[in-house]
Amino acid sequence: PESLEQQSDITKIEDTASEQAKAGSEQLLRAQVKARESAQIASEMSGRIIELKIRDGQRFSAGQVLVGFHCSMEEAQLSKAKATLEKKQKTYEVNKKLQKLNSISTLELDVSKAEEAEARADVRVGQAALERCTIKAPFSGKVVDVTARAYQSVREGDPLLEIINEKDLEIEFIAPSKALPQLKPGNTFKVTLDETGKPYKAEIIRLGGRVDPVSQTIKVYGRITDSSVELLPGMSGAIELTPFE
């Protein structure tokens, strides 16, 4: 027969295991609020910034100029290309008239036509180069980080801004793959955010492309269906997969 001390130890072990199992079953999944649209804006050229008035936390509209560069050289090159194109166009027009009078050969006409086309291409190259001198917002949103300053010289590829669309948010969390029967697009769940302390109704919109074979988990994406202006990217909280009415 076991001693009273052995029986007590066994009881403690069983109680601990029971508490751990209970805690594991009650453990909530963790989720994070993320912006569906976000971008790290980097410089497309080497140069000096002359316009960067937007600040962290400020909102902007799609198409608004976010960054402007000093581009006097690019402007001059484009002006030169346009002047050359105008000269080549006039030469080609004159040659067409002369060719009708049999005053020049067909070869000379073709050469002037090719030179006009080449000058037109140079103008397009100059316009493309000048377009890189301003960076416009690809969507409406908010600045979340500014890593450059006005009058700073940067190199091509240097990060300048990080922007997001904070009006288009989604919930991302990792769930055990055994919960797949509950993880169907359209199913509702509850998320309680730490920052607000409030529960929100949400629904699953899509699942990740694969189940992780090591952790036996899958990424789940959802959206909060409650109208809430206080939500911000980066907020996090607990998920309950039970339907939330």
Side-chain angles (χ1 to χ4, degrees), residues 93-152:
E93 291 299 323
V94 170
N95 284 348
K96 283 196 295 184
K97 293 177 181 179
L98 292 175
Q99 202 273 337
K100 290 180 180 179
L101 299 173
N102 294 321
S103 297
I104 63 171
S105 66
T106 302
L107 176 60
E108 289 175 301
L109 179 65
D110 291 342
V111 169
S112 62
K113 180 179 180 181
E115 288 177 344
E116 186 213 22
E118 183 181 10
R120 194 181 302 277
D122 287 340
V123 169
R124 289 198 294 268
V125 170
Q127 290 172 335
L130 197 59
E131 286 176 0
R132 298 195 305 168
C133 295
T134 55
I135 298 177
K136 298 181 180 181
F139 51 80
S140 298
K142 179 184 289 186
V143 178
V144 295
D145 191 24
V146 181
T147 54
R149 296 292 182 269
Y151 310 113
Q152 176 184 345

Side-chain angles (χ1 to χ4, degrees), residues 74-86 123:
E74 285 79 4
E75 291 171 354
Q77 289 174 342
L78 179 58
S79 296
K80 180 181 178 181
K82 287 181 176 179
T84 301
L85 173 60
E86 184 178 357
V123 169

Side-chain angles (χ1 to χ4, degrees), residues 121-195:
D122 287 340
V123 169
R124 289 198 294 268
V125 170
Q127 290 172 335
L130 197 59
E131 286 176 0
R132 298 195 305 168
C133 295
T134 55
I135 298 177
K136 298 181 180 181
F139 51 80
S140 298
K142 179 184 289 186
V143 178
V144 295
D145 191 24
V146 181
T147 54
R149 296 292 182 269
Y151 310 113
Q152 176 184 345
S153 294
V154 297
R155 294 174 298 180
E156 183 177 351
D158 284 352
L160 306 175
L161 301 168
E162 185 177 355
I163 60 175
I164 61 168
N165 180 359
E166 88 284 12
K167 299 298 184 181
D168 188 9
L169 304 176
E170 66 181 11
I171 297 285
E172 181 181 323
F173 63 95
I174 296 177
S177 56
K178 64 181 180 181
L180 276 172
Q182 298 172 265
L183 303 176
K184 296 179 179 179
N187 283 8
T188 61
F189 60 92
K190 179 172 74 173
V191 55
T192 303
L193 297 177
D194 300 338
E195 289 79 7

